[in-house]
Amino acid sequence: MEWGSLQNFIDMGGYGLYVWGSYLVTLFAIAIEIFSLREK
Amino acid sequence: MRFWKYSTPQNFYPAAKKIAAVFFVLALCFGIPGLYIGFFVAPTDHQQGEAYRIIFIHVPAAWMSMFIYVVMAFWAAVGLILNTRLSSMLAQALAPTGALMTFLALWTGAFWGRPTWGTWWVWDARLTSELVLLFLYVGFIALRASIEDPRRADKASAILAIVGVVNVPIIYFSVKWWNTLHQGASVSLTKAPSMASDMLLGMLLMALSFWMYSIAVSMLRVRKIIRDRERNSGWLNN
Amino acid sequence: MKPRQKRLLLIIAVLALVSLAALLVLKAFKSNLVFFYTPTEVVEGKVPVARAFRIGGMVVDGSLQRKQDGVSVSFSVTDTIHAIDVTYEGILPDLFQEGKGVVAQGRLSENGSFIADQVLAKHDENYMPPEAAEALKRAREMKLSE
């Protein structure tokens, strides 16, 4: 898969909001879970 | 090897830390190539364009949401039958991760449905039964929280977990048994996968990564639960 | 109240809440178990008369027509046995295509056509690059012309 430019990659063929809206929330949820389980 | 040695919280506590470390590394070993293939190798889809790339987290989260529930119910049942504390602790440790996976499956599904189907949500059998799964996880956690004595919480929540297992095959087969907006399975044991091989490889790697991650965080959580429940027993402080 | 009774009350409250939630969902589940009806079921009169319902099927090739006003569209939905004409005012989803799956919600008009207030695209479970889809299509057409 050749994206050509970073702009194209972020744009996701017009579906950027939906693709990144899914991935960022997943990343955020995983970060919160790991943070909540840290051992002091 | 004396495997049973690890079936007590005291012996499992240090082991869980090692298991967590190993599985975090494994999650990265599968996740990094999975994401790379998902975004830079897998081609555009003929129907959905780039929107389909949500599949690389949606399907793994949905698979794990069902799988974790079955494992949780299994350990809850073992705890109920054999009266072993660690089994119930494992069930307790799995519930929040299972709930998280269910939430992610629903969330990414909404973000996928909006641009492709034209709606964030419909009350079809697949989506509704997955929502019921979230209620079961939340119910399990809430029931535990409402009972002060952990041993009694183990028993009560185990019954809820076992009864709720019925929902898992309903979710899985909903797209076969009823008319749904959600499409059928692309990957199953009974037929060849209906996906291009790079897409399939990316999805399977991500699924493995989610699996390894779930094991790792459950191990960290079981340590937290052991610290919590065994704080008065003395062995933790030395 | 003794702590023991308090605990019991709490458990009952939680269980009641959970079962209530489950009951509500199951109720929604029951009325939506038939998520959509097929055009054949519509023709045979097996659809609810009083309330809105959904029909599902394939959009007939060449049936999509856009009206002058720019927002109204009409198309036919088929299950390969019967076809129903559908009219709709609004934006069609990205994946709406002739020859592809569709689910429309609305009610039947007196002349037997379906007036939709929501149109959803139902896609299949096949994922492949456009070139592969093109090759498959060509192979199918060759088979048909033989």
Side-chain angles (χ1 to χ4, degrees), chain A residues 1-3 9 11-15 17-27 29-40, chain B residues 17 24 35 39-42 44 48 50-51 53-54 56-57 97 100 103-104 107-108 111 114-115 120 213 217 220-221 223-224 227:
Chain A
M1 185 66 203
E2 289 290 333
W3 292 98
F9 183 67
D11 196 47
M12 279 287 144
Y15 296 115
L17 168 71
Y18 303 104
V19 174
W20 300 121
S22 299
Y23 277 85
L24 289 179
V25 167
T26 303
L27 196 72
I30 288 173
I32 290 177
E33 185 172 38
I34 293 175
F35 182 76
S36 74
L37 292 171
R38 76 200 184 285
E39 293 178 17
K40 273 155 263 169
Chain B
K17 191 168 194 173
F24 268 124
L35 282 175
F39 280 108
F40 299 106
V41 179
T44 307
Q48 308 183 21
E50 312 301 346
R53 291 184 198 277
I54 295 170
F56 299 115
I57 44 177
T97 301
L100 182 75
F103 163 75
L104 287 177
W107 179 275
T108 57
F111 269 63
R114 178 64 216 168
W120 299 101
Y213 168 81
V217 284
L220 286 189
R221 193 174 289 111
R223 279 173 63 84
K224 196 174 180 154
R227 280 200 299 278

